[in-house]
Amino acid sequence: MNAGARLGLYAAGVAVAFAGAFGVASAAVPQSVVDDWNARAAAEDHGTTEEHGSTEEDTMTQAVPAGLSLSSGGYELSPVTAPVTVGESGELSFQILDADGEPLRDFTASHEKDLHLIAVRSDGALFEHVHPELDHETGTWSTPWQWQEGGSYRVYADFVTGADDAKVTLTRTVEVHGEYKPMHSMGEQTTDEVDGFDVSIDGQLVAGATSDLTITVTRDGQPVTELEPYLGAFGHLVALRSGDLAYLHVHAMGEDPEPGDTTGPEVMFAAEAPTAGQYLLYLDFQVDGQVHTAQFTLDAVHGDGTSGATHDDAESSDH
Ligand SMILES: [Cu+2]
């Protein structure tokens, strides 16, 4: 695939940058706009406005990736209750709190579920993606839980609110006592073998742009054409930035499948990498009613095509 051509399609109008954007923006825009931003920021601090508006504001909103904070948009993830030791079986539970500190009970289904729970160890190993149950009386979400290995885990709650359809990703860290086997893989990993399936990922992540990624599934050297819908799509891809484990937006491309449809061996996704550097990707796909998870590691290059490995992202100049 030609990264340059894709970039040409997507680069215009896409928010680039991270820390660098703030300095550039405040120097390049009229003072009145800056004053407006400041006024809105102050108002939001007091919870008095939820105005949605300008392109500039959207750009700044996009500049910080999701999944880095326990609170966002007035919603907060309560402390997570879970087993503290490897092998102890129990329950993982939590609440989503609204701006008044009350448990949220009203959600909008997204990808067929009211809430998606992701857990992954800080080194990217031991990814889990499950769907807890909501107790509507208490507003408590829970799911049976057992940790396989010790370490520090990031837990993400990914949901859409019922009242205002806000898309929110909140996260907390959970420490687990027990044996720790570090994951050694460094560098790009574009193939994985899981449950007898060989899964590969093809495409180039580009910082600040939407990048097409193609997944191919084979078994015993033969293309797998019986990929089934899972959560309303032919596969569910989660991407995390290595280092801070920021949570990326990844969308399956093409029409949503109907129940009973199958596809394969290729599935296309569009991913937005906020910066250059390394990303961990996890694909859930379904064959014969069984869900399998393949894991990959990809490097995102700067928008000018240079490697992100040794550069300071804030110096990226592709605005
Ligand atoms: Cu899910």
Side-chain angles (χ1 to χ4, degrees):
M1 285 217 226
N2 182 318
R6 278 201 310 277
L7 196 58
L9 285 173
Y10 289 113
V14 173
V16 180
F18 209 39
F22 292 89
V24 171
S26 52
V29 300
Q31 186 60 39
S32 60
V33 176
V34 175
D35 290 344
D36 186 39
W37 287 342
N38 291 338
R40 286 184 206 201
E44 281 179 19
D45 278 347
H46 295 97
T48 53
T49 183
E50 202 47 68
E51 185 182 349
H52 212 272
S54 70
T55 310
E56 291 88 347
E57 185 187 33
D58 289 344
T59 300
M60 294 186 68
T61 304
Q62 287 178 17
V64 178
L68 288 173
S69 174
L70 63 83
S71 67
S72 174
Y75 299 95
E76 182 173 321
L77 176 59
S78 76
V80 175
T81 302
V84 295
T85 306
V86 168
E88 176 188 347
S89 61
E91 199 172 72
L92 185 150
S93 65
F94 57 91
Q95 293 175 324
I96 306 299
L97 306 174
D98 66 17
D100 299 323
E102 294 296 321
L104 191 66
R105 295 175 175 81
D106 189 17
F107 295 83
T108 300
S110 169
H111 296 290
E112 299 184 347
K113 301 289 179 182
D114 277 358
L115 185 144
H116 302 263
L117 186 88
I118 309 292
V120 67
R121 202 169 63 184
S122 57
D123 63 353
L126 301 161
F127 175 89
E128 299 275 355
H129 174 182
V130 300
H131 303 104
E133 300 258 318
L134 176 63
D135 180 334
H136 288 271
E137 297 280 305
T138 62
T140 300
W141 290 91
S142 63
T143 184
W145 201 261
Q146 186 170 358
W147 303 103
Q148 305 303 318
E149 285 189 33
S152 178
Y153 286 80
R154 283 282 289 280
V155 174
Y156 303 85
D158 190 13
F159 58 91
V160 177
T161 63
D164 52 5
D165 278 349
K167 188 162 174 30
V168 184
T169 308
L170 304 177
T171 184
R172 276 191 183 260
T173 301
V174 177
E175 305 296 333
V176 181
H177 302 285
E179 190 187 359
Y180 181 96
K181 286 179 259 159
M183 188 178 73
H184 288 297
S185 166
M186 294 294 283
E188 284 203 301
Q189 186 200 339
T190 58
T191 61
D192 194 15
E193 190 187 340
V194 53
D195 308 328
F197 295 94
D198 292 300
V199 189
S200 64
I201 190 164
D202 184 44
Q204 176 66 65
L205 287 176
V206 178
T210 300
S211 307
D212 294 352
L213 300 174
T214 304
I215 301 275
T216 307
V217 183
T218 62
R219 180 164 44 185
D220 300 326
Q222 300 299 313
V224 172
T225 57
E226 302 300 306
L227 296 173
E228 298 165 352
Y230 174 59
L231 302 174
F234 288 121
H236 199 79
L237 188 64
V238 168
L240 305 174
R241 181 165 59 183
S242 184
D244 66 357
L245 301 182
Y247 192 96
L248 272 62
H249 294 131
V250 183
H251 314 277
M253 297 174 75
E255 307 248 315
D256 288 346
E258 300 291 327
D261 287 355
T262 58
T263 194
E266 292 190 347
V267 189
M268 302 276 292
F269 291 89
E272 299 164 37
T275 61
Q278 192 173 72
Y279 290 83
L280 308 162
L281 296 99
Y282 305 87
L283 172 76
D284 292 324
F285 64 99
Q286 181 173 312
V287 178
D288 292 334
Q290 295 286 313
V291 178
H292 311 276
T293 304
Q295 180 171 349
F296 311 99
T297 306
L298 289 181
D299 290 332
V301 297
H302 284 295
D304 61 7
T306 58
S307 161
T310 57
H311 295 271
D312 181 348
D313 296 316
E315 289 171 12
S316 171
S317 59
D318 40 4
H319 300 279

